[in-house]
Structures are given as structure tokens and as C-alpha cells.
């Protein structure tokens, strides 16, 4: 199975900076590059259109960092999944912990977003993960499972979905989950997704992934790739992570 390397640029990069990133990244890879991996980019919303134009014809997939759960209508300030699809996006990042934490995104709203993305043939990259206090209270598993149960309650079990396990305490903090912690929770998420009946899913790890820890983390069973914030902002740093085997 191909490994997935996904870049989350949050509020960083103008459209032109995003375009130059893609040009430099594409100029640095050879024709075999995508034989064993997929690359996803989630640019800041102003840049999604230009990034998707820039990478057209390459194998990089692009998507917004969130969408509204209605396909269209009077929802000032929201992102339209349908429009993103029209200009070439085939993925959407959903349920990032910053969306859950700062924008009160609920699993119920996320369930509607998953359904909408699937109806448009856009691949959901669905984030889950526990806070530090939840981990300290031994709630890691129950938090992740309930995010999956509720957020994917109406998902089509035959369609492909990508889960990104991101412990909130490891995002942007420089603290990486230990290989043992990653191994343990990824195995549990894998079994849980199987028990829910999902047939085609991959599980990414996210949280302070850098080129110096990617090589160890990528070898852990059921780690199918990474969701990367800070270290995905420079083409060469992202490229080094994409080369982890
Ligand atoms: C993220 O934004 O999803 C993330 C994992 O960020 P970082 O790699 O900077 O921890």
C-alpha cells in the first residue's frame, strides 16, 4: 500500500508562495517518486485554487482544511466543498483538533461533512486524537473511538477514508508520541475501524513529525503515513519526510 504524506499549511503562505513551493517540490522529484507514495496538500484557503492549478497533471492531491456541511447556500464566510471539487480538489481535511477546539466543531457536524464529501467523491482525511488531560486520565482510546463512531456514523463503509490520529498535545509542540504509544493506538484504531465495517482506510500519524523522527515512525505497523504541519512548510523539509521508508 502506498504511504501518504499530507501537508497542513494552516494560515501560512500566500497564493504565490504556495505556488512556488509546489514548483520547487515538483522540480525536486523524479518520475518514480509516486510509485510508493501519495502526497496531499491542504493549503490556506486563498491558495487552494492556485495550488490545484499548479499541481494539475502531477499526482499531488489538494484540498481545503475544512468545508461547510451544506453543499451550497447562504453561509457567508464558509468554504464550499462543491466549488473546491469544481476547481480540482479531491480531498478535504476534516475535524482537525484546532477546528474542534477553537471553532466548536462537533462530531455531529463532522458526520454531515463526511457525507457531503463522499457524495462529491472527495476523500475525507478525518482527524481524531486526545488532549493531554484525556491521555493522563486513560481516555485516549475512548476519545478516539467516540470521535470515529460519531463522526463516521453516516460514512459509506465501502468508500475510501483516511484517518489522521493526532494527539493534541503533540501538535506544534515538538513533543512526539513515543513509538510505543503510536503502535498501541494505531493498532486499536485499525481494529476499531475493521469492527465498524470500513473496508478501505488508512491511518496517518500527526504531531511534530520531522525528518529526524519520520524514519522510525513510518515503520510502525498501521502507520500509513503522516499529517505534517510545521515541517511541511519548506519543500526540502517536506520532501525529506516524504522519503521516509
Ligand atoms: C498538524 O497541524 O496537523 C500538525 C501535526 O502540526 P505539526 O506537524 O506542526 O505538529
Amino acid at each position: 500500500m502506498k504511504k501518504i504524506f499530507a501537508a497542513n499549511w494552516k494560515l501560512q503562505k500566500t497564493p504565490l508562495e504556495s505556488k512556488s513551493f509546489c514548483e520547487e517540490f515538483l522540480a525536486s522529484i523524479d518520475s518514480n517518486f509516486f510509485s510508493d507514495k501519495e502526497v496531499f496538500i491542504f493549503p490556506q484557503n486563498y491558495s487552494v485554487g492556485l495550488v490545484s492549478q499548479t499541481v494539475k497533471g502531477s499526482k499531488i492531491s489538494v484540498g481545503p482544511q475544512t468545508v461547510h456541511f451544506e453543499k451550497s447556500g447562504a453561509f457567508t464566510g464558509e468554504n464550499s466543498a462543491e466549488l473546491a471539487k469544481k476547481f480540482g480538489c479531491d480531498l478535504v481535511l476534516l475535524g482537525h483538533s484546532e477546528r474542534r477546539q477553537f471553532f466548536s466543531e462537533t462530531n455531529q457536524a463532522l458526520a454531515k461533512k463526511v457525507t457531503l464529501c463522499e457524495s462529491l467523491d472527495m476523500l475525507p482525511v478525518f482527524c481524531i486524537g486526545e488532549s493531554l488531560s484525556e491521555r493522563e486520565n486513560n481516555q485516549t482510546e475512548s476519545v478516539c473511538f467516540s470521535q470515529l463512531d460519531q463522526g463516521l456514523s453516516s460514512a459509506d463503509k465501502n468508500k475510501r477514508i483516511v484517518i489522521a490520529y493526532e494527539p493534541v498535545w503533540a501538535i506544534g509542540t515538538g513533543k512526539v508520541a513515543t513509538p510505543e504509544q503510536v503502535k498501541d493506538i494505531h493498532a486499536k484504531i485499525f481494529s476499531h475501524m475493521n469492527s465498524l465495517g470500513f473496508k478501505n482506510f488508512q491511518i496517518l500519524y500527526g504531531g511534530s513529525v520531522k525528518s529526524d523522527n519520520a524514519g522510525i515512525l513510518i515503520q510502525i505497523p498501521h502507520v500509513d503515513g503522516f499529517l505534517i504541519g510545521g515541517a511541511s512548510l519548506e519543500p526540502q523539509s517536506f520532501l525529506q519526510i516524504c522519503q521516509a521508508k
Side-chain angles (χ1 to χ4, degrees):
M1 195 196 304
K2 291 187 178 188
K3 298 288 185 192
I4 299 166
F5 298 93
N8 174 17
W9 290 347
K10 309 192 188 196
L11 295 189
Q12 327 258 8
K13 294 190 188 297
T14 64
L16 285 180
E17 287 164 352
S18 307
K19 181 173 187 269
S20 349
F21 175 105
C22 296
E23 288 167 346
E24 182 177 337
F25 186 85
L26 287 169
S28 309
I29 60 177
D30 63 24
S31 54
N32 272 337
F33 184 79
F34 293 103
S35 60
D36 59 353
K37 61 183 82 66
E38 293 179 89
V39 172
F40 298 169
I41 299 183
F42 298 104
Q44 204 287 322
N45 217 38
Y46 298 133
S47 306
V48 169
L50 189 56
V51 168
S52 82
Q53 259 179 37
T54 308
V55 302
K56 202 171 172 186
S58 80
K59 292 202 161 99
I60 296 179
S61 298
V62 180
Q65 298 168 7
T66 181
V67 287
H68 187 57
F69 54 73
E70 293 290 346
K71 204 197 282 194
S72 58
F75 300 103
T76 302
E78 290 292 317
N79 293 344
S80 159
E82 190 181 43
L83 289 188
K85 173 78 186 181
K86 281 188 183 158
F87 58 69
C89 292
D90 44 19
L91 350 134
V92 180
L93 188 62
L94 290 177
H96 190 281
S97 68
E98 289 150 18
R99 303 281 326 155
R100 293 176 185 266
Q101 204 181 334
F102 304 128
F103 303 96
S104 311
E105 197 153 75
T106 62
N107 287 313
Q108 289 66 33
L110 287 166
K112 292 191 202 171
K113 296 181 185 201
V114 170
T115 308
L116 172 64
C117 292
E118 289 186 342
S119 75
L120 293 165
D121 265 329
M122 298 173 89
L123 174 68
V125 177
F126 186 82
C127 303
I128 61 171
E130 81 290 357
S131 65
L132 186 57
S133 64
E134 288 163 342
R135 177 161 282 268
E136 287 170 348
N137 289 319
N138 292 322
Q139 292 171 318
T140 299
E141 190 178 317
S142 61
V143 167
C144 291
F145 288 3
S146 81
Q147 289 170 337
L148 292 172
D149 295 348
Q150 294 172 37
L152 306 185
S153 55
S154 46
D156 183 337
K157 305 203 162 143
N158 294 309
K159 287 202 168 169
R160 183 184 181 201
I161 186 154
V162 174
I163 306 303
Y165 167 68
E166 299 204 300
V168 178
W169 47 272
I171 299 177
T173 58
K175 286 186 196 154
V176 192
T178 64
E180 293 69 33
Q181 288 171 326
V182 176
K183 185 175 172 202
D184 179 60
I185 189 68
H186 275 243
K188 287 176 175 154
I189 295 167
F190 179 80
S191 305
H192 195 68
M193 288 296 285
N194 271 328
S195 73
L196 291 174
F198 285 90
K199 312 263 177 341
N200 183 3
F201 63 91
Q202 288 84 42
I203 309 168
L204 312 185
Y205 169 77
S208 297
V209 174
K210 309 265 181 293
S211 55
D212 58 4
N213 55 31
I216 291 175
L217 293 167
I218 203 74
Q219 287 170 30
I220 298 172
H222 307 303
V223 171
D224 301 314
F226 302 127
L227 178 57
I228 308 139
S232 72
L233 291 169
E234 290 301 322
Q236 297 310 322
S237 142
F238 184 49
L239 189 58
Q240 271 189 306
I241 297 176
C242 294
Q243 280 154 347
K245 283 191 202 293

